[in-house]
């Protein structure tokens, strides 16, 4: 079981930089902007269709990072979860002009804190896959799978 207090503490240790907020309000989320970011600049989603993206968003909790003053969206994340035992963190993206300020780590910390607070019986596992951002996630307690030989995937390449 994930230590909820540890994740909440991580969000305190990694507060959003001044001038930024995290929101799970789907009405605020700019799906067109996020599709453009992911389908043209994110190695894992290059060429993803708008239709596929819309279906993915509909089946997930969606989060945005926003500039407080302008309200402009500068980041996104998606969580696929049953809100009882399992969550998969994916499509984490920070706009290039907002990078380098610690926003990625703090945004993910805020997302995780929100997800575990929504899980009334506690969360057992939060998984993610990354090619190049291990350091960002390690700051929040993510580690390599402890027993990768127990995990399998259908459709992996």
């Amino acid at each position: 079981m994930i230590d909820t207090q540890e994740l909440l503490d991580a969000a305190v240790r990694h507060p959003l930089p001044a001038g930024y907020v995290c929101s799970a309000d789907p009405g605020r989320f700019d799906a067109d902007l996020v599709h453009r970011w992911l389908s043209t600049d994110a190695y894992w989603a290059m060429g993803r269709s708008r239709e596929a993206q819309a279906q993915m968003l509909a089946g997930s909790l969606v989060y945005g990072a926003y500039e407080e003053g302008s309200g402009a969206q500068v980041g996104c994340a998606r969580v696929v979860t049953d809100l009882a035992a399992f969550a998969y963190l994916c499509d984490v993206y920070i706009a290039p002009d907002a990078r380098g300020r610690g926003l990625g780590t703090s945004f993910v910390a805020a997302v995780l804190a929100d997800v575990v607070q929504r899980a009334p019986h506690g969360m057992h596992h939060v998984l993610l896959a990354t090619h190049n951002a291990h350091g960002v996630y390690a700051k929040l307690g993510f580690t390599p799978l402890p027993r990768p030989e127990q995990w399998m995937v259908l459709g992996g390449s």
Side-chain angles (χ1 to χ4, degrees), residues 2 9-10 40 42 51-52 56 65 72 82-83 86 102 109 118 127-129 135 139:
I2 293 173
D9 290 347
T40 63
E51 295 77 20
M56 291 173 188
D82 59 13
L83 291 176
F86 176 80
R118 291 174 185 241
L127 295 179
L128 65 84
K139 292 176 191 173

Side-chain angles (χ1 to χ4, degrees), residues 50-72:
R50 182 67 182 89
E51 295 77 20
Q53 180 74 32
Q55 189 169 355
M56 291 173 188
L57 294 175
S60 305
L61 297 175
V62 296
Y63 294 86
Y66 304 91
E67 291 180 348
E68 271 184 310
S70 69

Side-chain angles (χ1 to χ4, degrees), residues 23-34:
S23 174
D25 177 0
R28 191 172 182 184
F29 194 86
D30 187 338
D32 292 326
L33 174 63
V34 169

Side-chain angles (χ1 to χ4, degrees), residues 12-117:
V12 171
R13 284 192 313 275
H14 301 282
L16 289 163
Y20 294 97
V21 296
C22 173
S23 174
D25 177 0
R28 191 172 182 184
F29 194 86
D30 187 338
D32 292 326
L33 174 63
V34 169
H35 176 255
R36 187 169 56 252
W37 284 340
L38 297 180
S39 67
T40 63
D41 191 43
Y43 69 85
W44 66 90
M46 296 294 279
R48 181 183 288 170
S49 74
R50 182 67 182 89
E51 295 77 20
Q53 180 74 32
Q55 189 169 355
M56 291 173 188
L57 294 175
S60 305
L61 297 175
V62 296
Y63 294 86
Y66 304 91
E67 291 180 348
E68 271 184 310
S70 69
Q73 187 167 348
V74 296
C76 65
R78 187 167 66 86
V79 179
V80 181
T81 182
D82 59 13
L83 291 176
F86 176 80
Y88 174 58
L89 174 66
C90 51
D91 289 345
V92 177
Y93 185 90
I94 300 296
D97 60 343
R99 294 177 188 163
R101 301 180 184 117
L103 183 57
T105 299
S106 61
F107 176 54
V108 171
V111 166
L112 293 173
D114 183 72
V115 169
V116 300
Q117 287 181 309

